[in-house]
């Protein structure tokens, strides 16, 4: 168990670092004023995250040597002039940089010490403490935004062997896609300053693509936060699944015992089999809810039943609430209007509020550990609204903390990332709603979000 706990903490820490990196890169995409400044900022953010020792971006030249020209760099032990790479068929074109540039696919090396592709750079890389690396082409393409190819690569080096696993490759490939669209938007913006007509139209199109890429980055932030939260709930989820599995085992053994008798008690066998089916469905429902919540949320919004959202999330946090001796009261109005939204994202908001409420009551006296989840309807001048509230009797917050509750990376929890409330507010804002917090008159706090109902 200690080893499993240590592995879990390491994985959770890695997710938090990548989430912070992705958030900072997203801000850099908004704030960059020039192409080189953008690429330099991305490299600096990646190195500052702690997992990457060296990050650089190079563009392919059409010279005789087919050089990959370094444009931006951050990290220890090397400078732009000393970076030598090619996208041709020569020896220095057989490394990850050259392969990624030629094929348009990410190429990585798990162990620089033994991989033949790193022979030209092995001694220098090992001397600087690099153990693994990856090159990702700066290419983006999908049906809605079109294709972008900067003819370049984002190149990363880490101090650990095998640092670029499946999740890391997916993470950095998504980042490279956003960078590609952002660079094209910057180029289009500069062109618009020099010309008009067709150039301006193209610039606006590229900016729209960049905005869509940035929205995709925000959705990735929300997805990683869901994964992190589910990791924190791993023990509770395991308990929720183990209960029906244990019951299935007990009922199956009972069936075998009855069937072994000279005159089997078929009524008892039938009841046990019915219980096995019921418990199997219960375990399957838990797994389905988890898989749905961990999936990437679709962009399209549609009719959404908030009552169903609440009923899907409560079983996931039930064991966690029970483990801390918290009494839960649920009050759902029967006339709650449907809202237009993304079910998975709204589940994430509610899950975050429930987890925060449980955390706030861990250190208070047991008699005070009470949580209330309410869903009510409100009729305003602009139509019906649905309001969901999570009330706790925990430690609450003071006047000085109130303005910062929804700031990114602000947290009062030990080891907390401080992204949950910030992302939750962003989700609710995108749903044309409002998320706010109030301090209770006696103990604790109440977090509420309101969403406009569908006409």
């Amino acid at each position: 168990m200690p080893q499993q706990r240590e592995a879990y903490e390491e994985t959770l820490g890695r997710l938090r670092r990548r989430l912070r990196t992705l958030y900072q890169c997203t801000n850099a995409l908004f704030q960059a004023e020039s192409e080189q400044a953008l690429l330099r900022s991305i490299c600096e953010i990646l190195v500052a995250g702690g997992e990457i020792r060296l990050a650089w971006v190079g563009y392919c030249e059409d010279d005789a040597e087919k050089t990959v020209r370094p444009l931006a760099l951050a990290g220890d032990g090397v400078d732009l002039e000393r970076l030598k790479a090619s996208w041709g068929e020569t020896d220095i074109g057989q490394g990850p940089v050259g392969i990624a540039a030629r094929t348009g696919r990410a190429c990585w090396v798990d162990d620089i010490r033994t991989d033949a592709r790193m022979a030209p750079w092995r001694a220098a890389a090992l001397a600087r403490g690099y153990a693994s690396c990856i090159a990702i082409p700066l290419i983006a393409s999908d049906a809605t935004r079109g294709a972008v190819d900067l003819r370049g690569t984002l190149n990363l080096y880490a101090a650990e062997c095998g640092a670029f696993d499946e999740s890391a490759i997916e993470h950095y490939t998504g980042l490279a896609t956003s960078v590609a669209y952002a660079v094209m938007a910057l180029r289009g913006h500069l062109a618009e300053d020099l010309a008009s007509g067709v150039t301006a139209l193209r610039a606006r199109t590229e900016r729209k693509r960049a905005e869509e890429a940035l929205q995709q980055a925000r959705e990735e932030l929300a997805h990683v936060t869901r994964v992190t939260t589910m990791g924190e709930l791993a023990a509770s989820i395991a308990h929720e699944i183990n209960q029906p599995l244990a019951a299935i085992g007990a009922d199956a053994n009972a069936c075998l015992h009855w069937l072994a008798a000279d005159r089997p008690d078929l009524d008892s066998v039938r009841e046990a089999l019915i219980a096995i089916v019921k418990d199997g469905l219960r375990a399957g429902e838990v797994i389905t809810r988890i898989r749905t919540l961990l999936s990437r949320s679709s962009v399209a919004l549609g009719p959404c039943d908030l009552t169903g959202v609440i009923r899907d999330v409560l079983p996931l946090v039930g064991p966690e609430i029970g483990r801390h001796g918290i009494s839960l009261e649920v009050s759902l109005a029967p006339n709650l209007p449907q809202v237009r939204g993304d079910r998975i994202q709204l589940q994430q908001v509610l899950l975050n509020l429930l987890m925060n409420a449980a955390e706030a009551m861990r250190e208070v006296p047991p008699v005070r550990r009470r949580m209330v989840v309410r869903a009510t309807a409100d009729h305003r001048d602009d139509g019906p609204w649905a309001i969901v509230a999570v009330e706790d009797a925990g430690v609450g917050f003071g006047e000085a903390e109130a303005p910062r509750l929804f700031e990114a990376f602000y947290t009062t929890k030990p080891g907390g990332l401080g992204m949950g409330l910030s992302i939750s507010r962003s989700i609710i804002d995108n749903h044309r709603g409002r998320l706010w917090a109030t301090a209770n008159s006696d103990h604790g706090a109440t977090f509420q979000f309101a969403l406009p109902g569908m006409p």
Side-chain angles (χ1 to χ4, degrees):
M1 288 299 293
Q3 292 179 341
Q4 292 178 343
R5 181 65 183 178
E6 183 178 344
Y8 160 70
E9 293 291 349
E10 181 181 350
T11 301
L12 186 57
R14 189 180 302 115
L15 283 170
R16 285 171 172 159
R17 289 192 295 273
R18 289 178 186 167
L19 179 60
R20 181 184 292 268
T21 298
L22 193 57
Y23 179 85
Q24 293 170 331
C25 288
T26 302
N27 283 342
L29 298 181
F30 273 119
Q31 298 168 4
E33 297 180 357
S34 71
E35 184 171 336
Q36 192 164 13
L38 167 64
L39 298 177
R40 188 184 305 113
S41 295
I42 297 297
C43 291
E44 290 172 350
I45 291 169
L46 290 171
V47 170
E51 292 185 330
I52 304 301
R53 291 286 300 274
L54 171 69
W56 66 278
V57 174
Y59 284 172
C60 296
E61 300 283 359
D62 289 320
D63 55 0
E65 291 78 20
K66 295 188 175 180
T67 305
V68 177
R69 175 174 57 90
L71 190 67
L73 174 145
D76 298 328
V78 71
D79 54 48
L80 287 174
E81 288 71 21
R82 296 165 67 181
L83 284 170
K84 303 296 181 184
S86 169
W87 59 281
E89 298 293 343
T90 60
D91 288 345
I92 62 172
Q94 304 309 309
V97 176
I99 294 173
R102 286 195 305 274
T103 65
R105 296 189 296 270
C107 180
W108 59 95
V109 169
D110 290 327
D111 192 343
I112 291 176
R113 296 171 302 179
T114 59
D115 198 302
R117 294 172 296 181
M118 290 298 294
W121 308 274
R122 181 176 291 118
L126 296 179
R128 292 172 174 83
Y130 309 146
S132 58
C133 62
I134 187 172
I136 309 116
L138 294 173
I139 296 175
S141 177
D142 65 31
T144 58
R145 288 191 290 261
V148 168
D149 186 352
L150 298 184
R151 297 188 69 233
T153 58
L154 171 64
N155 313 291
L156 310 174
Y157 296 75
E160 297 179 358
C161 292
F164 301 101
D165 57 14
E166 184 178 352
S167 65
I169 294 168
E170 183 180 8
H171 168 75
Y172 293 120
T173 300
L175 175 60
T177 297
S178 297
V179 170
Y181 280 122
V183 167
M184 292 305 295
L186 283 171
R187 292 178 180 178
H189 179 70
L190 293 174
E192 185 180 3
D193 291 341
L194 299 175
S196 59
V198 175
T199 304
L201 180 60
R202 288 176 178 172
R204 285 194 294 272
T205 301
E206 296 298 345
R207 280 201 302 276
K208 182 179 179 181
R209 289 175 177 172
E211 290 169 358
E212 291 172 347
L214 293 175
Q215 179 60 31
Q216 183 179 356
R218 289 194 184 98
E219 290 171 4
E220 183 67 19
L221 285 173
H223 174 251
V224 176
T225 303
R226 287 200 299 277
V227 174
T228 304
T229 303
M230 297 307 285
E232 294 172 349
L233 279 170
S236 296
I237 292 170
H239 176 75
E240 180 77 2
I241 296 175
N242 282 336
Q243 277 190 328
L245 292 181
I248 289 172
D251 286 332
N253 285 327
C255 283
L256 292 174
H257 175 73
W258 288 320
L259 291 172
D262 292 336
R263 300 182 65 182
D265 185 349
L266 295 181
D267 289 337
S268 296
V269 171
R270 186 178 296 104
E271 290 178 5
L273 290 174
I274 292 173
I276 288 174
V277 172
K278 181 180 178 181
D279 285 323
L281 292 174
R282 176 184 164 193
E285 288 170 357
V286 173
I287 295 172
T288 299
R289 286 196 299 268
I290 296 167
R291 291 186 63 180
T292 301
L293 195 55
L294 289 178
S295 67
R296 279 176 170 75
S297 178
S298 59
V299 178
L301 305 182
C304 188
D305 175 18
L306 282 179
T307 300
V309 169
I310 295 170
R311 287 175 174 161
D312 281 347
V313 172
L314 287 178
L316 295 179
V317 296
E320 181 77 5
I321 291 173
R323 187 162 62 91
H324 296 292
I326 300 171
S327 65
L328 176 63
E329 179 183 327
V330 181
S331 175
L332 306 179
N335 60 338
L336 205 63
Q338 276 201 333
V339 300
R340 185 173 181 80
D342 183 296
R343 187 181 187 88
I344 304 304
Q345 289 190 347
L346 295 179
Q347 286 179 346
Q348 178 175 357
V349 172
L350 182 59
L351 180 62
N352 181 255
L353 298 184
L354 292 169
M355 290 290 289
N356 285 352
E359 178 75 25
M361 289 187 284
R362 285 186 178 181
E363 305 300 328
V364 303
V367 68
R368 266 179 48 193
R369 297 179 187 174
R370 176 175 172 268
M371 184 190 303
V372 180
V373 178
R374 290 190 303 271
T376 57
D378 186 20
H379 294 276
R380 305 177 183 178
D381 293 340
D382 56 350
W385 283 68
I387 303 173
V388 177
V390 177
E391 177 185 338
D392 67 71
V395 295
F397 57 86
E399 291 185 10
E401 297 174 290
R404 303 194 62 193
L405 287 176
F406 297 95
E407 286 184 11
F409 300 116
Y410 175 76
T411 180
T412 58
K413 297 189 294 186
L417 182 63
M419 285 298 297
L421 287 176
S422 175
I423 290 176
S424 294
R425 171 166 278 184
S426 176
I427 289 172
I428 296 300
D429 287 346
N430 289 338
H431 283 70
R432 298 186 298 113
R434 177 174 171 246
L435 171 63
W436 72 98
T438 54
N440 297 337
S441 58
D442 46 4
H443 300 291
T446 299
F447 285 79
Q448 303 179 71
F449 63 87
L451 294 171
M454 294 182 65

